[in-house]
Amino acid sequence: MKRMMAIVEREMRKFFRSPALMMVSMTLPLVQLIILGNAFGGKIRGARMGVVDYDHGSQALKIHEAFNAIAVNIRTFTTIPYDNEEKARDDVRTGRLDGAVIIPAQYSRRVLAGDSPTIGLVVDNTDQTMSSSLEAEMQSLVDALNAPVIQPKVVQQIALEIVELYPYVEYMKYLLAGSVALAMYVAVMIGGGMLYIDDKARGVHEGYLVTPITKWEMVMGLNLAGAIKAVLSGVTLTVIGSLLAGLGVIFHPMTVLQLSLLIIATSIAFNGMMFLMMVRVEDPLVPRAMFGVLNTLLFFPSGAISPITGFPKWLRAIAVVDPFSYAVHGFKAILLKDGGFAAIWTDLIFLFGFGMLTLFIATPLFKRTL
């Protein structure tokens, strides 16, 4: 035990002597959380909607009033009057407008006559996010206009009442779980995998070979040191990210216990996986070349950016064996849903089991020779 802790002490001393390395390991996930969290996933605000009104009747006035209500309240779009439909279409095509509404001539007369009038909506569907938001807002407006002033006593249409379990979840909060997992992965990759290969390339590990340290003690010592680095990184980003995202759950004692267990389990899983990949690598350039590939292969299929259910089958297969998936699911269950142990116990079992299995496989592959 003393010999194993000596390895841990050496690794941690080396780690804390280089604070820049610690900062680098958290810079990417933190920048990603701030930039992507604010750049994506938000509701559309301030879109430019052109309005071509060929009718100017009483029913067209109701549409203009609804547009003014949208501009003042939810602010999805603001309207710009146009006299010519072709000009409005061209401005949508060139990007001066995000969409255009066409109110046809005789619209009010057809409404009053019950003749099923049509309102035109021109959108640039190369931007699916913008076009979907404008289409959904216009459909809601049309549904409101179609609703009768006096509701019939007998229900003629089925209504859907949506119950949301949680308040509106901003994308930064949604992304926080993936950012914490990514910070731990970067800490393991930079502070564990790359340093271990660099030590082998420099011959530093040869000093261990003249000591009575066993292969098992060396493996456990190196991985314990890597796990501690990952835990420090995970705790730091969890606290900073939660404060940035406005999540106060980290101040609840039971949540702290759940997060601690999940961070420890994730660090063990990531270290075991990385040690298994690097145990026979000799060239220090290999882990640097693998960093981007592994980041893409493990992070994006995990559900950190978008739900796993939207993936094709082959990508779902990767997610099933990806420790990132279970870490992200666990962090979301705790930070966003307050799900408790009932929501994360399967994640904990997989992460602990995955870490132990990879270490069990990697130990016989570790060479205690030159």
Side-chain angles (χ1 to χ4, degrees):
M1 196 68 180
K2 289 182 179 180
R3 294 192 290 251
M4 185 179 71
M5 294 308 298
I7 297 177
V8 174
E9 181 181 358
R10 174 195 176 272
E11 292 293 320
M12 297 310 298
R13 283 179 181 272
K14 185 171 63 172
F15 185 65
F16 284 113
R17 284 196 194 109
S18 179
L21 186 62
M22 301 172 60
M23 294 300 297
V24 168
S25 66
M26 289 184 291
T27 298
L28 173 62
L30 195 57
V31 169
Q32 183 185 73
L33 175 65
I34 295 173
I35 301 300
L36 295 184
N38 287 281
F40 298 105
K43 294 183 178 180
I44 297 297
R45 295 284 187 274
R48 297 163 307 228
M49 180 78 82
V51 179
V52 182
D53 188 355
Y54 289 126
D55 179 73
H56 302 289
S58 60
Q59 299 304 312
L61 181 60
K62 289 185 178 181
I63 298 178
H64 288 284
E65 290 174 348
F67 286 164
N68 292 334
I70 292 173
V72 171
N73 295 310
I74 59 177
R75 303 190 303 276
T76 303
F77 57 79
T78 57
T79 56
I80 303 171
Y82 273 73
D83 296 327
N84 185 280
E85 179 180 348
E86 286 72 21
K87 175 60 176 174
R89 287 177 180 270
D90 289 340
D91 283 357
V92 172
R93 186 178 295 109
T94 57
R96 295 186 181 91
L97 291 176
D98 298 302
V101 173
I102 315 298
I103 304 175
Q106 304 298 319
Y107 168 78
S108 296
R109 184 188 64 80
R110 295 183 64 183
V111 170
L112 296 175
D115 193 21
S116 301
T118 301
I119 301 173
L121 175 62
V122 180
V123 293
D124 177 8
N125 62 311
T126 60
D127 186 343
Q128 290 292 329
T129 301
M130 177 65 74
S131 62
S132 297
S133 297
L134 295 180
E135 290 169 12
E137 199 61 52
M138 284 299 300
Q139 186 61 55
S140 176
L141 186 149
V142 169
D143 292 341
L145 292 174
N146 285 330
V149 177
I150 301 176
Q151 298 293 333
K153 293 182 179 180
V154 179
V155 177
Q156 296 177 340
Q157 294 181 337
I158 302 300
L160 174 66
E161 181 179 358
I162 300 175
V163 178
E164 296 182 340
L165 294 177
Y166 307 97
Y168 174 65
V169 178
E170 299 173 349
Y171 192 62
M172 178 179 284
K173 296 178 181 179
Y174 182 84
L175 191 61
L176 177 59
S179 297
V180 173
L182 182 61
M184 299 180 68
Y185 163 76
V186 174
V188 170
M189 189 71 183
I190 295 178
M194 290 184 181
L195 289 182
Y196 170 65
I197 303 302
D198 285 341
D199 282 351
K200 288 173 65 176
R202 296 190 185 104
V204 175
H205 78 300
E206 295 177 10
Y208 295 139
L209 305 182
V210 296
T211 67
I213 297 177
T214 64
K215 178 192 294 187
W216 183 87
E217 289 171 335
M218 290 180 66
V219 171
M220 291 300 108
L222 292 171
N223 279 275
L224 181 57
I228 294 174
K229 298 172 190 176
V231 167
L232 292 175
S233 183
V235 170
T236 302
L237 199 78
T238 299
V239 174
I240 296 176
S242 297
L243 294 176
L244 288 174
L247 292 173
V249 294
I250 58 171
F251 300 107
H252 299 168
M254 187 56 65
T255 301
V256 171
L257 175 61
Q258 295 163 5
L259 284 172
S260 300
L261 287 175
L262 190 58
I263 289 173
I264 293 172
T266 303
S267 67
I268 292 174
F270 285 179
N271 268 280
M273 175 183 66
M274 200 56 58
F275 191 79
L276 178 60
M277 291 181 180
M278 302 297 173
V279 68
R280 286 299 184 110
V281 176
E282 304 290 341
D283 190 346
L285 295 178
V286 171
R288 290 167 173 82
M290 293 174 59
F291 181 81
V293 176
L294 289 175
N295 182 31
T296 303
L297 183 62
L298 299 175
F299 178 71
F300 289 98
S302 67
I305 303 296
S306 61
I308 295 175
T309 50
F311 297 164
K313 291 184 178 180
W314 64 270
L315 206 53
R316 291 191 197 184
I318 295 177
V320 169
V321 296
D322 183 5
F324 261 94
S325 302
Y326 299 87
V328 169
H329 177 269
F331 284 122
K332 283 182 180 178
I334 297 174
L335 294 172
L336 301 183
K337 305 177 182 179
D338 193 22
F341 284 106
I344 65 170
W345 69 270
T346 53
D347 302 315
L348 292 174
I349 291 176
F350 178 88
L351 292 169
F352 277 119
F354 183 87
M356 295 302 167
L357 178 63
T358 49
L359 284 178
F360 178 78
I361 297 174
T363 301
L365 299 176
F366 183 79
K367 294 191 300 182
R368 197 189 179 283
T369 57
L370 291 176

